[in-house]
Amino acid sequence: MSNPIAILGAGIAGLTAARELRRRGLPVIVFEAGKSIGGMASSFKDAEGFSYDMGAHFVSNRLAEALGAGDICETVKHYGEAVLLNGRSYNYPFGLMRSPRLVGSAIAAKLRRTEIASASDWFRQTYGDALAQAIAIPLAEAWSGASAEDLSPAVGDKMRAGILKSLYLKAAAHVTNRAVCNGYSHDMPESPSVYHVYPKGGIAKLLEPMAREVADSIRLESPIERVLVEGNRVTGVRVKGETIPVSAVISTAPVHVLPKLLEGTSALDHLAAFRYRPMVFVNLRFTGRNLLPDTMLWVPDRTQPFFRLTEAPISMPWLAPQGKTLITFDIGCSVGDQHWTMPDDKLAELCLDGICRIYPHLRQAYLGPGGIVKTPISYPVHLLAYEQERLRFAETTGVDGLYSIGRNGEFAHILMEDVYWRTLKRTEQVAAYVGQLPALVAGLRDAHSALRKRAKPVGSKRTTEPAPIAKAG
């Protein structure tokens, strides 16, 4: 049997890769640094009955079935987004189309053709100057922490759902009384038969069926210390001081961490410059329900500390006790800045003051903080400064037998379902590589043997005869 394939991380990408490779008859070992599986997908419930999910709230029925968790999921009947502009909320995207100024600006943008060199250019060309300036650019800069002029146009890829498609899927949601997915998968087609669901017991339950299939291959509390490379080819990993020969390595680690793990090559050192946006997520509890105009409210007003509010119980009422609700505040920050270092009680107060500037009556409905999460790695920041390197990395790591998967591992703005489908495609490449590896190794061994046979001893030293040069013609 060949050496195992090492998989770094037991989140959705790592477990998907492990299960698929095992089904192909290939040996795998999943090394997870933490005490449990799941990666960013985790859930917990507090003593008052409020449920908290880390990672994605929304999962499609198609993904749940593919993961083997379809039978534990409940159908989500409603999901919607709104934008707060000049103190008024607009349904996204069609509510914004009621504004003559925004629509006129969008039409004018379509009639002109300008070179698109940055995210700022992309927003202006796609949405028009008015909407780009008032909404799209402030939001992009809030979640990236960079000027839209310094961001790649690729940030627009996650917003590429067309108006006609959105109209069709919105109508289908109304008819079917289900939250039909719109913009949650770019790798697979969306239709009225693809809708949001939620696993009973929390998002973490979603991965349990896959984990059971590969349970004997998972090593918890086993962070990878080094990925060993010889001759630009992965040969092993070092874990807890033990060196384990491997045929390939699949990493879900953030790309700027990957160069620090490699031993024997500097081919990926440039990835150390890639940036992720740190985030603070503040959860506040309130009495009442439907306190926001819809499940998600985008807030482009940069006088506010947050850029997005989510009231998940609007879509999934079981996440909060009856008559109560939970609102999550997204704050973009930098590690060590005022928001990152602010005490939890001050963060809660900051967010409460901010939402009460929008909805003053909520102060009387406030029940207290429900937990605060800080993560140094949330969103990949697609800066123009390294866009060419990012595009090359999307094709290959440049090291034979080394593959990178998942949102952090691919450094891509992809949601949970696309992580799954893209990981399946990557495992095809891994399987093909591992399948031809014995022939490659044998070829290298034969070449080395032939080289040794041509060598002639001179005293105590050896010299090598040059290979004959074929004559042209």
Side-chain angles (χ1 to χ4, degrees):
M1 181 176 290
S2 62
N3 291 329
I5 300 165
I7 299 173
L8 282 56
I12 181 173
L15 293 176
T16 298
R19 184 179 68 169
E20 182 62 20
L21 292 168
R22 281 277 293 265
R23 288 179 174 180
R24 292 170 178 264
L26 297 171
V28 299
I29 304 178
V30 182
F31 297 99
E32 169 56 49
K35 296 181 179 180
S36 60
I37 66 162
M40 292 187 294
S42 60
S43 312
F44 70 94
K45 180 178 286 190
D46 67 18
E48 286 74 34
F50 290 87
S51 296
Y52 305 86
D53 287 313
M54 306 302 124
H57 275 90
F58 295 98
V59 178
S60 74
N61 61 315
R62 179 171 57 195
L63 175 61
E65 290 292 340
L67 298 181
D71 59 343
I72 66 167
C73 289
E74 299 184 62
T75 298
V76 176
K77 295 185 177 181
H78 169 80
Y79 171 74
E81 299 181 23
V83 178
L84 186 71
L85 186 61
N86 298 324
R88 179 182 174 186
S89 64
Y90 295 82
N91 171 266
Y92 177 83
F94 304 114
L96 295 170
M97 296 170 64
R98 297 198 303 267
S99 167
R101 182 176 69 91
L102 297 180
V103 171
S105 178
I107 293 173
K110 295 299 182 183
L111 295 177
R112 70 171 186 258
R113 282 294 166 189
T114 57
E115 181 182 357
I116 298 178
S118 68
S120 177
D121 298 335
W122 189 91
F123 289 131
R124 294 180 188 280
Q125 179 67 53
T126 304
Y127 301 126
D129 290 339
L131 192 149
Q133 193 64 37
I135 300 173
I137 289 176
L139 288 176
E141 292 181 343
W143 61 249
S144 69
S147 167
E149 297 287 347
D150 296 329
L151 292 171
S152 161
V155 301
D157 289 347
K158 64 182 295 186
M159 310 171 192
R160 60 191 181 194
I163 294 296
L164 290 178
K165 174 190 172 186
S166 295
L167 280 169
Y168 169 59
L169 295 177
K170 282 282 188 180
H174 179 73
V175 171
T176 62
N177 195 30
R178 295 187 303 217
V180 173
C181 296
N182 183 15
Y184 277 76
S185 178
H186 296 313
D187 282 47
M188 295 288 283
E190 292 181 322
S191 70
S193 63
V194 182
Y195 51 89
H196 293 292
V197 298
Y198 184 87
K200 300 172 185 176
I203 289 294
K205 294 289 184 181
L206 197 68
L207 304 183
E208 290 184 358
M210 280 201 305
R212 285 194 293 268
E213 287 192 46
V214 296
D216 59 329
S217 298
I218 300 174
R219 296 189 185 181
L220 299 176
E221 298 184 82
S222 299
I224 293 288
E225 297 165 357
R226 287 289 185 272
V227 175
L228 308 178
V229 180
E230 297 179 14
N232 202 52
R233 181 174 65 84
V234 166
T235 60
V237 295
R238 189 174 301 130
V239 184
K240 295 181 178 180
E242 176 188 5
T243 297
I244 303 172
V246 299
S247 57
V249 168
I250 302 175
S251 172
T252 66
V255 296
H256 67 331
V257 172
L258 197 53
K260 302 175 184 178
L261 298 178
L262 299 184
E263 182 177 304
T265 182
S266 59
L268 300 186
D269 284 1
H270 60 281
L271 298 180
F274 284 29
R275 282 172 43 189
Y276 292 83
R277 177 64 157 163
M279 295 287 296
V280 175
F281 301 100
V282 180
N283 295 288
L284 300 185
R285 299 174 295 181
F286 296 86
T287 57
R289 186 67 63 85
N290 300 307
L291 304 184
L292 298 183
D294 220 321
T295 311
M296 190 177 292
L297 179 65
W298 295 95
V299 184
D301 178 4
R302 296 320 326 127
T303 65
Q304 292 281 19
F306 45 80
F307 65 88
R308 180 170 64 181
L309 303 174
T310 305
E311 188 180 352
I314 290 179
S315 291
M316 295 160 290
W318 51 82
L319 294 182
Q322 188 172 5
K324 299 179 181 179
T325 197
L326 188 72
I327 297 179
T328 303
F329 299 71
D330 294 17
I331 301 176
C333 61
S334 298
V335 174
D337 72 7
Q338 61 169 337
H339 291 138
W340 185 266
T341 57
M342 189 175 290
D344 287 0
D345 60 335
K346 295 298 183 183
L347 279 169
E349 182 180 332
L350 180 72
C351 291
L352 180 63
D353 288 343
I355 197 171
C356 288
R357 288 199 294 272
I358 305 170
Y359 306 114
H361 65 283
L362 291 188
R363 192 172 297 277
Q364 285 69 45
Y366 182 54
L367 295 174
I372 293 173
V373 177
K374 299 178 181 180
T375 172
I377 299 171
S378 189
Y379 300 111
V381 181
H382 287 184
L383 291 177
L384 283 170
Y386 46 66
E387 178 64 0
Q388 294 307 310
E389 288 88 347
R390 184 189 72 81
L391 292 174
R392 282 194 292 270
F393 183 76
E395 297 297 323
T396 175
T397 65
V399 176
D400 293 340
L402 178 63
Y403 302 86
S404 202
I405 59 173
R407 185 173 72 172
N408 287 336
E410 290 191 46
F411 198 73
H413 295 126
I414 50 178
L415 298 176
M416 203 168 187
E417 183 171 0
D418 281 349
V419 167
Y420 176 79
W421 300 115
R422 289 167 69 143
T423 298
L424 288 188
K425 292 177 182 177
R426 189 66 78 185
T427 56
E428 292 179 6
Q429 299 174 7
V430 177
Y433 171 79
V434 172
Q436 56 87 39
L437 192 57
L440 175 63
V441 173
L444 292 173
R445 188 184 300 116
D446 292 344
H448 181 67
S449 177
L451 189 64
R452 289 176 60 86
K453 288 179 179 178
R454 288 200 301 269
K456 291 183 177 181
V458 178
S460 61
K461 299 181 180 180
R462 300 174 68 88
T463 60
T464 304
E465 296 177 351
I469 302 175
K471 295 182 180 179

